[in-house]
Structure formats: C-alpha cells, structure tokens
Amino acid sequence: MNTLGRHILAEIYGCDEDILNDKNAIEKIMVDSALKSGAEVREVAFHKFSPQGVSGVVIISESHLTIHTWPELGYAAVDVFTCGDRINPWDACNYMTELFKAKNMTATEVKRGIFEEPVEVKAI
C-alpha cells in the first residue's frame, strides 16, 4: 500500500495547565516539535481565547501541525499531518507531549491518500 501521508490524531491528557494557556509557550513548543521531526516550517498562526485556551497551526512544507487546548482540563487535541516518508509525525507528537508535561497520550495514525501504485511526493 502506498500513501501520500500520515496523520496522527492525538489526545493529550494531564498537561500543565499554565503551559496550555500560554500562547507563546504553545507556539514555541509546536514550532520546536516540527523542527525536531525534521520538518521545514513555513508559517505559524496562534490565537489565545478568553478566558482560556489556545488554538494554532504550524504550516510545514510537508503539511501541518494543529492544536486546541483546554487548560482547565489539562487537555490538548493535536493533529500532526506529514506528507511523504522523510518526516515521522510521531517524533513531533511525542516531543510536544513531553514538553506539555503530559501524564497520558493516546493517538491514532491515519494513512492519507492510499494508492495502489507508488507515488512520489515532493515537499513544496
């Protein structure tokens, strides 16, 4: 089976509430996670909600990382989608889980763009 990409859907629990409510900290962690996985960061956009919570996206040449946090619950919903086989999305997901000081993470990997024939994917 040949795929265009891998998409990790992560449920991250027991995180540090202060980190999850800090827009600048979340942005740095997400960008650092992308870089640690070997991805090339293109753009970032993050928003702090009132009274709490942060949403954001890191656009990478290989696709994207997204997050929405519920600091009051110590919970973050994270997606890491990478195209091609050069980047391992689990590297980014595991690194951010560590930096959120999470107690637990469950995740599902979804194969995206399944083809019978080999497909060459090039980063933009």
Side-chain angles (χ1 to χ4, degrees):
M1 169 172 56
N2 299 288
T3 63
L4 292 176
R6 300 163 65 192
H7 196 160
I8 307 299
L9 307 171
E11 309 288 317
I12 308 176
Y13 298 97
C15 302
D16 182 299
E17 293 177 27
D18 292 329
I19 294 171
L20 292 188
N21 205 37
D22 184 332
K23 177 180 158 263
N24 294 329
I26 293 291
E27 182 174 330
K28 180 170 178 12
I29 289 169
M30 296 288 287
V31 168
D32 288 351
S33 296
L35 293 172
K36 183 161 181 70
S37 74
E40 181 181 4
V41 174
R42 294 294 185 152
E43 294 185 44
V44 298
F46 285 82
H47 177 78
K48 170 77 168 71
F49 292 95
S50 181
Q52 59 205 6
V54 175
S55 281
V57 60
V58 176
I59 303 298
I60 57 177
S61 294
E62 301 80 10
S63 195
H64 67 267
L65 292 78
T66 63
I67 189 167
H68 186 77
T69 71
W70 285 262
E72 72 278 19
L73 301 174
Y75 169 72
V78 171
D79 289 4
V80 180
F81 182 22
T82 60
C83 297
D85 57 7
R86 190 177 69 79
I87 305 300
N88 183 348
W90 288 103
D91 292 342
C93 190
N94 290 330
Y95 187 67
M96 73 179 75
T97 298
E98 177 185 329
L99 294 180
F100 294 155
K101 302 180 182 175
K103 293 187 172 92
N104 186 31
M105 185 265 285
T106 61
T108 302
E109 179 175 334
V110 177
K111 304 291 187 205
R112 305 295 303 265
I114 300 170
F115 293 90
E116 294 295 322
E117 299 295 321
V119 177
E120 182 178 344
V121 179
K122 296 179 182 175
I124 299 171

